[in-house]
Amino acid sequence: MEVPFGRLKNRKNCYLLPSQTPLMQTGLPEKAAEVLQNNWQHGFTIPCEGLYPFQWNWDSGFIALGWGHLDVERAKMEIRSLLLGQWQNGFLPHIVFHNEAETYFPGPDVWDVGRSRFAPEKKTSGITQPPVLGFVLEFLYDRHGDALMDFAAEVFPALYAWHAYLYTHRDLHNEGLVYICHNWEAGTDNTPVWDAIWEGMDSPSYDLNRRDTQHVDAANRPSNREYEHYIHLVELFKSWDYEDAKIGANSPFLIQDPLFNALLMRSNEGLIRLGKLLGREAEVARLEQWQERSLKHFHKKLYSPLNKAYVYYDLRNERKLEAVSSSSFIPLFAGIPSPAIAREMVAHHFDRGRFSGSRDAYYLCASFDPTSEAFDPGRYWRGPVWVNLNWLLYHGLLRYGFGRLAEKVRKDTLELLEQYGFYEYFDPRRQLDSGKTHAYGGNNFSWSAALYLDLIQHPES
Ligand code: GLC
């Protein structure tokens, strides 16, 4: 495959930024670079102008991969900036408010994290997001080699502290499976999986000052009632001063999520490999113990023979939540299933299975099971395709040798981005009524652009 962008590399093997190239705006790679450049804010990248005007945790990891192709110094700055928001107990929040903006709710005053004795000087949110930095660092190392080792040495202690926090404070039964206590921690905000949790919650009504629906169509966003549950959880955590022990004992939302835990394990792998190169023996030994414990329990507890995929465990109500989302397949990325289970999962859900549909009705990969009644192809995490989940699935499939299917995921992703632009999420149905668009949510969305730059570097054929 010809990668036109490849002509625009500098001596450090990074692509030139649009402002440095005479071919400005000539092609999609240049356009992707421009999206990142426009969203860059003195040291970090916002996910999307207006809609998400601060620094988000897992977005920054994916964005750093994109910057790695343009200017590796920016990839490093992105990660350093995120770590400025790290709490004293190792916790890494889901938003860092470096800047001021009125276009997002809930802002720093609602979070009020000063109630925690561990809060840093920076203003942050009080919940986290999937831990991607460990594997992001490894991917950057694989692309930049020894030139990245000083940076790896610089951030390794912070990333180790982050994993230590998760295994120390969020693994209630010592089974190597950590919990999330808020739907925003999953990254898949309004997946139908949570519907069963909301049903059991009697959240009060709040005077919501939502800003998201001023930027994009409310029909493609979570409902107001869902937002009341989200805010209610925040109010509970505040009333407990963000103390982990109280959250673990009382939060009505307490889930072992296959996506969050798989990414933690894949990040463990990255840190173990880099830690060995850096001579951090004590930390490597601890990481290996955690990894072993996680591996021992993950499959047993989260695999659903019924659904032939990984599902969610509701710790508060001690039950499996039998629903399949794109998160259900990400354990492939961390090497968790046996080859036989991986084959079972792939046969059941792809290639005319549930997620492909008969006659290849859907782009891969819908964020929620298209055969479910709750599937909603236009509403955020209730059906649309998301580029970051596709990137993880692509690498997961490659890891197990499903090269043809991986290539299909890559091609579907590129097709959506090439035809409709760097949107936040996409309708998975191939055939839409005329006049309908596939592209939803924010435009010029950073991780869509960043991962586009990464995916065009992986021609399989
Ligand atoms: C939405 C997504 C979340 C992402 C954030 C910023 O809340 O659901 O995963 O991190 O936007 O892009």
Side-chain angles (χ1 to χ4, degrees):
M1 181 180 132
E2 174 151 353
V3 181
F5 210 46
R7 293 198 297 268
L8 305 176
K9 282 183 171 180
N10 65 15
R11 268 179 291 125
K12 285 196 224 143
N13 207 27
C14 289
Y15 295 118
L16 294 173
L17 293 174
S19 57
Q20 301 165 324
T21 153
L23 293 178
M24 193 160 160
Q25 287 198 28
T26 51
L28 216 54
E30 287 80 5
K31 197 105 189 74
E34 202 171 88
V35 168
L36 291 185
Q37 173 80 336
N38 289 342
N39 288 341
W40 175 255
Q41 314 272 317
H42 309 292
F44 69 95
T45 314
I46 56 169
C48 183
E49 196 185 337
L51 194 57
Y52 308 114
F54 307 109
Q55 186 175 29
W56 259 258
N57 183 330
W58 75 329
D59 294 64
S60 278
F62 294 119
I63 289 166
L65 290 176
W67 278 125
H69 294 296
L70 300 168
D71 176 353
V72 72
E73 289 310 313
R74 288 211 178 169
K76 295 178 190 171
M77 283 159 90
E78 184 77 40
I79 293 172
R80 279 194 194 106
S81 298
L82 186 68
L83 293 175
L84 289 177
Q86 188 164 33
W87 290 22
Q88 285 151 35
N89 56 355
F91 173 81
L92 200 60
H94 98 298
I95 304 176
V96 186
F97 301 103
H98 298 283
N99 48 327
E100 305 224 335
E102 292 298 320
T103 59
Y104 179 80
F105 169 84
D109 297 344
V110 176
W111 289 101
D112 192 17
V113 297
R115 291 162 181 257
S116 165
R117 60 204 156 107
F118 300 113
E121 271 176 38
K122 280 267 174 208
K123 290 183 180 168
T124 74
S125 70
I127 57 168
T128 186
Q129 263 187 336
V132 299
L133 290 186
F135 71 77
V136 165
L137 196 62
E138 189 188 9
F139 272 76
L140 289 173
Y141 169 70
D142 279 334
R143 284 153 197 185
H144 297 276
D146 288 343
L148 206 95
M149 275 328 259
D150 283 351
F151 179 69
E154 174 192 328
V155 296
F156 183 89
L159 300 194
Y160 174 78
W162 164 219
H163 287 216
Y165 161 85
L166 289 171
Y167 281 108
T168 310
H169 297 289
R170 288 184 171 225
D171 183 10
L172 291 184
H173 305 309
N174 250 332
E175 51 193 355
L177 297 174
V178 305
Y179 70 72
I180 56 169
C181 55
H182 196 288
N183 57 299
W184 282 332
E185 290 202 326
T188 57
D189 304 8
N190 68 337
T191 176
V193 181
W194 316 140
D195 292 355
I197 311 292
W198 309 141
E199 266 168 34
M201 271 173 68
D202 192 18
S203 303
S205 45
Y206 290 94
D207 195 8
L208 296 170
N209 192 8
R210 284 182 74 169
R211 305 291 166 84
D212 56 324
T213 45
Q214 294 170 3
H215 304 292
V216 299
D217 190 343
N220 306 138
R221 297 284 305 179
S223 68
N224 277 343
R225 185 61 187 144
E226 283 170 301
Y227 252 75
E228 287 178 334
H229 296 306
Y230 307 170
I231 296 304
H232 183 53
L233 288 172
V234 174
E235 292 302 329
L236 288 175
F237 303 158
K238 277 158 67 175
S239 73
W240 302 325
D241 294 334
Y242 292 104
E243 273 189 38
D244 291 306
K246 289 189 181 156
I247 293 173
N250 302 301
S251 173
F253 190 109
L254 211 69
I255 306 284
Q256 288 166 323
D257 175 334
L259 173 67
F260 194 102
N261 279 283
L263 296 188
L264 175 60
M265 289 175 67
R266 183 62 191 82
S267 280
N268 282 339
E269 281 185 345
L271 292 184
I272 289 169
R273 180 163 160 229
L274 293 170
K276 284 182 180 159
L277 293 172
L278 291 167
R280 313 283 310 213
E281 278 141 36
E283 288 97 332
V284 167
R286 278 307 274 149
L287 285 159
E288 284 176 340
Q289 281 168 4
W290 292 325
Q291 184 76 339
E292 204 182 307
R293 196 181 302 161
S294 301
L295 255 181
K296 194 162 152 212
H297 297 280
F298 194 114
H299 180 78
K300 232 187 282 166
K301 192 156 185 189
L302 301 185
Y303 192 68
S304 160
L306 177 71
N307 275 302
K308 298 188 174 38
Y310 290 90
V311 297
Y312 304 68
Y313 193 84
D314 173 3
L315 280 168
R316 182 55 65 232
N317 300 295
E318 295 292 0
R319 58 177 171 171
K320 255 186 188 160
L321 299 173
E322 289 284 358
V324 184
S325 71
S326 47
S327 302
S328 299
F329 311 123
I330 306 307
L332 291 166
F333 180 59
I336 293 162
S338 65
I341 291 288
R343 278 196 301 275
E344 170 175 275
M345 213 160 44
V346 161
H348 192 70
H349 294 283
F350 304 115
D351 282 339
R352 306 214 181 130
R354 283 206 226 169
F355 278 69
S356 303
S358 59
R359 289 197 226 121
D360 212 15
Y362 302 108
Y363 283 104
L364 294 178
C365 178
S367 50
F368 196 69
D369 184 352
T371 65
S372 158
E373 279 186 2
F375 173 68
D376 185 343
R379 203 185 271 272
Y380 217 36
W381 291 96
R382 299 179 80 89
V385 173
W386 286 75
V387 175
N388 65 333
L389 264 290
N390 271 16
W391 185 92
L392 295 166
L393 179 60
Y394 167 69
H395 283 282
L397 291 168
L398 281 185
R399 180 169 184 159
Y400 280 78
F402 298 111
R404 197 182 48 81
L405 188 57
E407 185 54 9
K408 188 164 187 316
V409 172
R410 193 178 77 91
K411 287 243 170 76
D412 279 2
T413 317
L414 295 181
E415 186 178 321
L416 288 168
L417 291 167
E418 280 158 8
Q419 293 206 11
Y420 305 102
F422 298 111
Y423 273 86
E424 190 181 2
Y425 42 100
F426 299 89
D427 196 312
R429 293 170 297 180
R430 284 188 196 274
Q431 299 295 332
L432 292 185
D433 294 343
S434 64
K436 292 257 164 141
T437 175
H438 272 88
Y440 299 124
N443 191 3
N444 299 318
F445 191 73
S446 290
W447 81 35
S448 298
L451 295 177
Y452 171 79
L453 290 174
D454 201 74
L455 285 170
I456 58 173
Q457 296 300 305
H458 294 265
E460 256 301 283
S461 44

